[in-house]
DNA sequence: ACCTGAACACCGTTCAAGT
DNA sequence: ACCTGAACACCGTTCAAGT
């Protein structure tokens, strides 16, 4: 089979999602693709470039539609949903894209800024809000990715109740990682707060 | 000089902060400490355990005071400040601690939960708020750490204005990474929102 | 008890040789 | 043009040997 760049990146995405960014290596990718190690370098100049390619591929997978009609809250919500969709489909790659801050994050930022300015926020305020929003999404991703390998015997599950009474009591709430709900909650916070502060 | 565990971890912290978590290796740490590679393994069972030790050390470096008198907003603000202080002093290690979610994060979580429940929030609501808060702090850390190595020629600085008009126009606001201001802004958002929703 | 050299199985990348 | 083997400088960890 032809060893195109697309195929390499697709394999990399699958590998990363399965075993984490740490686990990926050029050698492993090569054996996975059934080719020699060095063949990869004909399509990708380095491991770093490969990861950039993965980030771009992941982020380009969602339409960042600008919706002129909707309210700014609805638009932010839609954008959050789009980001959430990426994070849900490829959490580890999304985290990778976020931490590499290449060009792949420009389009979503652009759309959000347009949305918020269209809603009457000043430029600097719009930047602030986008940043708070992006920051939160990033944190969500870290949580989701970071929790995954733990799987059951996390620090929370084996804590001493006497030492941490609150954590022990709320153990079940803490353990349930309801990312969808968290996002909804944060979007409500943001919507309420930005509405209240818009003069 | 004696090669105690504390000294090893201190050196690791310095190395991580200087060159990033990726750059750290047992061999490099050994040469930095002026000892043989394998000597390290007498105090630290593995590289992973070393990183856990770094995380614990960093997080234990701040008092997580419970302030019974203050308002919940002020208490959250104080906790945010304490976290911010850690992140400011050792951003890369703080990021490490956050992404490793060992026991080092239990104490701050415990204090926050106590604070919020003391302010009248239900257990599940308190968990939600703590999570939103922690998530945001995490995102802030990722930003700070991720931006550091970029240093000037980031994707934002070389974008095409025609393609991303908003980003181009707000370039200066975007580039100024005012983490202090961002945190203040987010704390205000959170304070306002949680006040509004407390019945 | 504490240290450590040799060895093993990895890793990314360069370079020169193949077709 | 596309592929790839050999080689280089790394990496974490095990094990057995030193003191």
């Amino acid at each position: 089979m032809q060893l195109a760049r697309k195929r390499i990146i697709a394999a990399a995405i699958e590998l990363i999602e399965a075993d984490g960014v740490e686990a990926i290596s050029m050698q492993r990718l090569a054996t996975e693709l059934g080719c020699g190690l060095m063949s990869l370098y004909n399509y990708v100049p380095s491991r770093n470039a490969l990861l950039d390619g993965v980030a771009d591929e992941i982020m380009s997978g969602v339409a960042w539609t600008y919706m002129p009609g909707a309210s700014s809250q609805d638009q932010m919500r839609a954008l959050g949903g789009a980001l959430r969709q990426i994070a849900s489909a490829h959490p580890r790659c999304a985290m990778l894209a976020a931490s590499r801050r290449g060009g792949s994050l420009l389009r979503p930022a652009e759309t959000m800024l347009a949305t918020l300015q269209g809603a009457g926020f000043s430029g600097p305020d719009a930047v602030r809000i986008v940043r708070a929003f992006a920051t939160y999404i990033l944190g969500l991703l870290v949580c989701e990715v970071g929790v995954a390998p733990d799987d059951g015997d996390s620090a929370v599950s084996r804590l001493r109740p006497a030492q941490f009474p609150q954590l022990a009591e709320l153990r079940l709430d803490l353990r349930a990682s309801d990312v969808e709900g968290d996002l909804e909650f944060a979007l409500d916070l943001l919507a309420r707060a930005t509405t209240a502060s818009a003069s």
Side-chain angles (χ1 to χ4, degrees), chain A:
Chain A
M1 196 201 241
Q2 189 65 23
L3 184 59
R5 192 187 137 91
K6 283 198 115 174
R7 205 163 81 85
I8 293 180
I9 286 181
I13 289 176
E14 212 142 331
L15 247 176
I16 289 172
E17 223 52 64
D19 292 355
V21 197
E22 303 291 328
I24 206 180
S25 75
M26 300 302 267
Q27 358 252 335
R28 174 135 182 230
L29 195 52
T31 63
E32 210 82 20
L33 285 163
C35 69
L37 202 202
M38 296 318 299
S39 308
L40 299 177
Y41 285 87
N42 291 308
Y43 300 92
V44 158
S46 72
R47 184 180 190 269
N48 249 295
L50 171 76
L51 295 181
D52 280 336
V54 167
D56 287 346
E57 176 64 25
I58 288 297
M59 279 302 172
S60 69
V62 165
W64 300 100
T65 47
Y66 176 57
M67 312 178 299
S71 75
S72 76
Q73 287 187 31
D74 282 350
Q75 291 185 44
M76 288 296 279
R77 200 173 292 276
L79 284 168
L83 278 172
R84 177 70 205 126
Q85 186 181 319
I86 295 181
S88 177
H90 306 286
R92 289 185 150 122
C93 290
M95 183 61 215
L96 177 70
S99 66
R100 307 214 117 223
R101 78 189 56 251
S104 58
L105 297 168
L106 293 182
R107 208 180 338 246
E110 175 72 14
T111 310
M112 283 194 178
L113 286 176
T115 296
L116 287 166
Q117 290 196 280
F121 288 98
S122 76
D125 275 359
V127 168
R128 277 249 136 108
I129 294 174
V130 166
R131 194 177 270 157
F133 188 77
T135 299
Y136 179 77
I137 299 267
L138 250 185
L140 266 189
L141 273 173
V142 175
C143 288
E144 186 162 38
V145 170
V147 155
D150 240 355
D151 213 7
D153 64 353
S154 70
V156 178
S157 61
R158 48 183 153 73
L159 49 77
R160 307 252 315 276
Q163 208 171 351
F164 301 108
Q166 307 292 331
L167 287 170
E169 188 194 327
L170 297 171
R171 194 176 344 112
L172 294 182
D173 293 287
L174 284 163
R175 198 109 71 101
S177 80
D178 174 20
V179 184
E180 301 295 341
D182 283 351
L183 182 63
E184 201 61 28
F185 181 78
L187 286 172
D188 277 336
L189 277 192
L190 200 59
R192 213 177 300 134
T194 53
T195 307
S197 66
S199 52

